Amino acid sequence: MHPKLRAFLLANGLRADATESAAWEYYRQLQDDDVTFSGQERIAEGTDGQRSAAGELPAVTVPAQPVAAPLAPATVDRAAIEQEAFTRAIEIGDMCTRFRISDETRTSLLQPNVTLDAARKKVMDIIGQQSQQKNPGFRTAVEIGIEEADKFRAAACAGLYLRSGFGLENDTTLDGLRSAAGIASNQQIPGANELSGYTLRELARRCLQIAGQPTGGNALEMIGRALTVSDLPILMSNVANKTLFEGYQAAEETWQNWCATGSVNDFKQNTLAMVSEFDDLDEIKNDTGYKYGDRTDAKEVFQIATFGKLFAITRTTIINDDLGAMNDTLMTMGEAAARKVGSLPYAVLIANAAMRDGVALFHANHGNLGTTGVVSETTIAEAIKMAKLQKNLKSKQSLNIRLQYFLAPAAIEGTSEIFFNSGQFSGADLGSTRTNPYAGTRFERIYDARLDASSSTAFYLLGPKGKTVKVFFLGGNQSPYMETKQGWHTDGVEYKVRIDAAAKAVDWKALVKNAGG
């Protein structure tokens, strides 16, 4: 059956799940009932698409197939209704084909009770989800066609940005909205300044007008409709995303200074494989032959975890025009996401969990636990020696690891800085003035209060990035991800913020700890 003929039959009462034979039987029923359809040419399989002068359906040879029980014929008595239904079915079908919508969704959209506007909104949501999967971390509203709604959406979102204190210059998060509205990326968005003066209640009413929905009723009812059938949730989501990421990026964290990052593709147990050095070369004498050498391997295991929270924008928030309170909450949610990621590598140091050999990360057996003492030339020199003497898996030769970072709790920042900034100091044991070999920029110094919760005296010296602790992200996405849905427990829109990450000590050889004193 020709796709357009089937679309026409669906628009006039054919069940969406009808089989091919049932569709032909339905078509024949319409012919038997002598139903005429004026104002629109019909295209059917095996015909040239012409109607007779009387306006009947074109003659079609129905394939000889087992026919299911006939469906009740639809009565179409008005040309305008028939024309509208046919046009709706064709437009929905073309729209689904254009944007590669699945057959299952196409069938559901062609149901008689689904309006054209509802179908467009559904397709818009699907495109938005597909865009989010390709560019995780920020959702951009997507609409079909360049029309007033597109321009309003861009202006309203930009207005909310301005009202929230975000500048629009060099802001690429609005590029998707600009493109949909036909606005160049370097142009100002018309109407943004005007809409920045709207209260959230006024913006909700305007969203309903643009969507062609009623704007009457009390404020709670009106806002409830706006959160359900208009672009208001998308606009609020755009601003929520923007605020969340501003908070995430603005958070002051120290783990990036000394940790490397990695990416994994799933939540399964992942491994960090390490391969040993090659065997030493043998001296080859006249009466001996060459021998094969080999390498051994080892691995550490880790697993990605998900961290998240929920937040809701309610009708009360919109009625009270609490945009500032909403943004403040989302900003702190972004900071919380950054804080969680930042805590992961420090938790590795503090937990001192067992490594692949069953021994704690910092342990005398690993040769990375220094003699207890305050920060001094003695304790620093010992840590340097320990790192340099570390050997690879086959213990063929010392690795000569160079320590680069000094990591300590906030409690000893003052005394540590005095030591590292002293070019010379008096040695009581020698009674003379000596040069401090570790002064200046010998180490990059990092102080983090997370370490104080475990010990106010212990300090660490670390080797190069990638050889100490590594922070892994699912799919390499280092930013929090936000999802939205209509509130079930609250009257509004719920936001779910999550981030998928894990931290793991790569090896113990480039890590040295001293309990301090």
Side-chain angles (χ1 to χ4, degrees), residues 264-270 302-306 474 500-501:
V264 296
N265 297 322
D266 52 51
F267 291 95
K268 296 184 294 186
Q269 193 174 75
N270 291 274
F302 69 96
Q303 200 164 4
I304 288 287
T306 299
L474 185 66
D500 307 302

Side-chain angles (χ1 to χ4, degrees), residues 310-314 484-495:
L310 291 175
F311 170 70
I313 296 178
T314 64
T484 65
K485 74 169 186 176
Q486 285 300 118
W488 180 255
H489 301 289
T490 59
D491 292 327
V493 180
E494 292 181 346
Y495 296 87

